[in-house]
Amino acid sequence: MRLLLVEDDPSLGPNLQDSLNKAGFATDLSTDGIDGEAMGQIEPYDLIVLDLGLPGKSGLEVLENWRSQANSVPVIILTARDAWEDKVLGFKAGADDYLAKPFQTEELIVRINAVLRRCTGQNPGALSYGDLSLDEAEQAVIVKNGDKHSLTGTEFKLLRYFMLHPKQLLSKTTLTEHVYQLDSDKDSNVMEVYVNRLRQKIGADWIMTRRGQGYIFGQQD
């Protein structure tokens, strides 16, 4: 899943970006409201973590502009601990969740996963589909017979995106946009390699190829 982090703190921003990348999210970082707003409107992010106290343009104004332009990307806002007014204004502007500073990175990751599942119609808790279960802490997949297979970073991000979008036709371009960061070398042809690796671990019948169109995740009836 591809995230945008809009945070101007020179220490917190890069540290959070690194932690989110290690947690299996392809995370881009913006340090001001103007660039952050543009990136959030142009790039196909799955979720945005937005600080409200930004230079250039406030996070609240950025969020309001996104929603006024029919941008429904899920947004978690970061607020000061005692700024309850910001929380209220944030929710009114269209935020999906909030987190007060200071916070533990683990809590942010849990909230990100919860919002992503809620927004894609998945049940809360561990991410599972059919006989597959994704261990997000260990970045591994558990198959029907109980075997656990470790996943590389890209395999993990790809399988999580598939599991959050079952029975949907997903093109190589779409998968590439949601698995890699903005400054990564995006070669959609490499996606075929990772899809084949996943098939070896979860079973070939889980991912169907539509030639010239893309892939559909979910065992066929």
Side-chain angles (χ1 to χ4, degrees):
M1 308 297 284
R2 190 168 169 208
L3 306 185
L4 172 62
L5 171 63
V6 191
E7 171 59 65
D8 66 308
D9 188 293
S11 176
L12 178 62
N15 287 338
L16 265 184
Q17 182 185 29
D18 183 60
S19 296
L20 292 172
N21 284 336
K22 289 179 179 177
F25 299 103
T27 309
D28 297 327
L29 174 64
S30 175
T31 57
D32 68 77
I34 296 174
D35 287 344
E37 179 180 338
M39 292 172 68
Q41 192 63 25
I42 296 171
E43 296 294 324
Y45 292 107
D46 297 292
L47 183 141
I48 297 176
V49 179
L50 177 67
D51 183 33
L52 294 188
L54 296 169
K57 186 178 291 187
S58 74
L60 188 63
E61 184 179 355
V62 169
L63 178 57
E64 289 173 338
N65 289 343
W66 283 335
R67 297 306 190 233
S68 70
Q69 296 174 63
N71 185 343
S72 59
V73 60
V75 175
I76 297 177
I77 57 175
L78 304 179
T79 71
R81 179 176 293 278
D82 57 352
W84 63 266
E85 299 97 336
D86 287 344
K87 299 173 190 176
V88 173
L89 292 173
F91 279 122
K92 286 184 176 180
D96 296 272
D97 200 355
Y98 78 91
L99 195 56
K101 296 180 178 179
F103 56 83
Q104 296 296 319
T105 304
E106 291 79 6
E107 181 180 0
L108 175 60
I109 292 171
V110 168
R111 288 179 179 270
I112 288 172
N113 285 323
V115 170
L116 286 172
R117 288 172 195 153
R118 185 167 68 245
C119 291
T120 54
Q122 302 291 320
N123 293 325
L127 180 56
S128 61
Y129 186 81
D131 298 324
L132 297 180
S133 180
L134 196 63
D135 186 328
E136 294 175 299
E138 296 188 13
Q139 296 195 7
V141 60
I142 303 170
V143 296
K144 183 177 181 178
N145 63 5
D147 288 347
K148 179 181 286 190
H149 301 284
S150 296
L151 302 170
T152 66
T154 301
E155 290 169 354
F156 174 73
K157 287 181 280 189
L158 179 60
L159 181 55
R160 178 164 55 188
Y161 193 79
F162 271 135
M163 293 177 72
L164 287 170
H165 300 84
K167 302 294 185 179
Q168 298 181 32
L169 178 60
L170 303 171
S171 69
K172 289 182 183 179
T173 299
T174 296
L175 294 172
T176 300
E177 288 176 340
H178 289 270
V179 168
Y180 293 109
Q181 293 170 246
L182 185 62
D183 56 356
S184 299
D185 183 14
K186 301 176 182 178
D187 184 353
S188 61
N189 292 323
V190 177
M191 195 57 60
E192 188 172 338
V193 175
Y194 287 109
V195 167
N196 287 332
R197 289 182 182 176
L198 282 180
R199 284 174 171 149
Q200 293 172 11
K201 294 181 178 182
I202 66 175
D205 57 340
W206 274 103
I207 306 173
M208 183 179 70
T209 299
R210 285 275 186 89
R211 191 167 298 279
Q213 295 178 293
Y215 304 99
I216 299 176
F217 174 80
Q219 290 181 314
Q220 303 305 303
D221 299 328

